[in-house]
Amino acid sequence: MTAPARATTAHTTLTERLRTRIEHTVPQGQALPDRQPAYVRSWVYVFGVLTLSAFLVVLVSGAILAVGGLTWWHTSSVGHFVNSLHLWSVEIFFATMVIHLWGKFWMAAWRGGRGLTWVTGVLLFLASIGTAFTGYLSQTNFDSEWISTQAKDGLNAVGIGAFFNVLNPGQMLLWHVVLLPFVVGLITVWHVVLVRRHGVVPPIDAVAPGETVPGDAPDLSTASQEEARP
Amino acid sequence: MQLATVVMDAGGRFIDWGVLHVSVGNLIVVLVMLVVFALVLVLPFPGEREEQPRGGSR
């Protein structure tokens, strides 16, 4: 059996290489699948996408706050509302993320070649904590003043105070609205791509479609025999 | 100045239990998360039923 001619052709242009890279990022049909293995029909599999949904609300409400500015969110009733929307979407973001973390920990979700998926989740958790921390420092109220003065000694002690000065509200605001959201967004895309590439982790006593041994990475390019709509 | 004093005095309520020092608000959030996690494990997912094979091909 001969391989298709296209597969043996060398990709010479950047466009061809990029197209091939994008096409092979996840197995065919797995970018936005409308069918999942039957065991995915459980609430424990919902909290990853709940975290992602809350993150989108955080981004949108944060963008609106950036448009209005700090005098707006302190003095306007609409500003107060959007400020509260931003706070509570962050609360839901962290609550759902931690429940997602608990669920995946007890499922040993790093099984079956999913170690990098687990690690990117850990990085996301840490980067999100940093983003939330700089958000608390950007409130421009007594709370942010108190938190910054309590944090400065610890951060100076670990040696990062020279370039990460919690007493500088301008720097903290820019870390909060530009640098850290970019990092969180980038790792989120990486995490989701890895989940789509390897598939969601099966329960410990279940066999994923295409698997022969529980916990092994499924071959998602093969047709599933036990799929159901989520 | 009086307003500032009032706001700064509003320190919140905390619970001390050995090395654990947590505000009542944060403790409530943590307890709610534990309850939600327990419900996640026991509540059935909506629409949980045997699916009919489509087109007889599976």
Side-chain angles (χ1 to χ4, degrees), chain B residues 10-31:
Chain B
R13 297 172 61 187
F14 288 81
I15 292 175
D16 283 292
W17 187 30
V19 295
L20 187 67
H21 176 74
V22 62
S23 70
V24 172
N26 279 343
L27 182 63
I28 291 172
V29 169
V30 171
L31 291 176

Side-chain angles (χ1 to χ4, degrees), chain A:
Chain A
M1 183 178 173
T2 56
R6 184 173 179 76
T8 58
T9 306
H11 299 299
T12 54
T13 68
L14 285 175
T15 305
E16 283 179 314
R17 289 178 191 174
L18 182 61
R19 182 180 63 222
T20 305
R21 188 76 189 87
I22 292 173
E23 286 173 352
H24 291 84
T25 301
V26 296
Q28 195 172 10
Q30 291 301 317
L32 288 171
D34 62 342
R35 295 176 72 76
Q36 290 286 342
Y39 49 74
V40 177
R41 220 159 35 190
S42 161
W43 285 110
V44 77
Y45 285 99
V46 171
F47 281 78
V49 79
L50 278 181
T51 309
L52 196 58
S53 306
F55 181 54
L56 292 179
V57 179
V58 171
L59 288 179
V60 171
S61 58
I64 298 172
L65 286 176
V67 171
L70 65 92
T71 53
W72 178 69
W73 79 62
H74 279 308
T75 59
S76 153
S77 58
V78 179
H80 280 145
F81 173 76
V82 178
N83 191 35
S84 298
L85 194 64
H86 193 60
L87 169 72
W88 283 105
S89 55
V90 170
E91 298 278 351
I92 293 172
F93 171 76
F94 272 99
T96 52
M97 182 193 281
V98 170
I99 292 172
H100 177 63
L101 167 65
W102 289 342
K104 295 306 161 188
F105 177 78
W106 292 109
M107 290 168 74
W110 48 84
R111 287 174 295 137
R114 297 179 180 87
L116 193 56
T117 314
W118 174 262
V119 168
T120 53
V122 172
L123 292 176
L124 263 177
F125 188 43
L126 297 177
S128 301
I129 290 173
T131 313
F133 174 62
T134 53
Y136 279 116
L137 296 175
S138 303
Q139 296 175 94
T140 58
N141 58 13
F142 288 122
D143 195 29
S144 56
E145 285 186 19
W146 175 262
I147 294 169
S148 63
T149 50
Q150 295 299 298
K152 67 177 173 52
D153 293 336
L155 292 172
N156 287 340
V158 296
I160 64 173
F163 57 89
F164 186 82
N165 181 7
V166 292
L167 297 178
N168 183 346
Q171 186 192 24
M172 291 304 102
L173 181 63
L174 289 172
W175 273 78
H176 180 67
V177 302
V178 179
L179 298 177
L180 290 171
F182 178 73
V183 170
V184 172
L186 205 62
I187 305 176
T188 300
V189 171
W190 188 12
H191 187 71
V192 172
V193 164
L194 286 170
V195 172
R196 288 291 91 237
R197 182 178 290 178
H198 297 288
V200 294
V201 68
I204 287 175
D205 56 352
V207 178
E211 280 186 352
T212 52
V213 179
D216 284 351
D219 179 4
L220 295 173
S221 61
T222 58
S224 165
Q225 295 180 355
E226 296 182 13
E227 287 184 334
R229 291 191 183 279

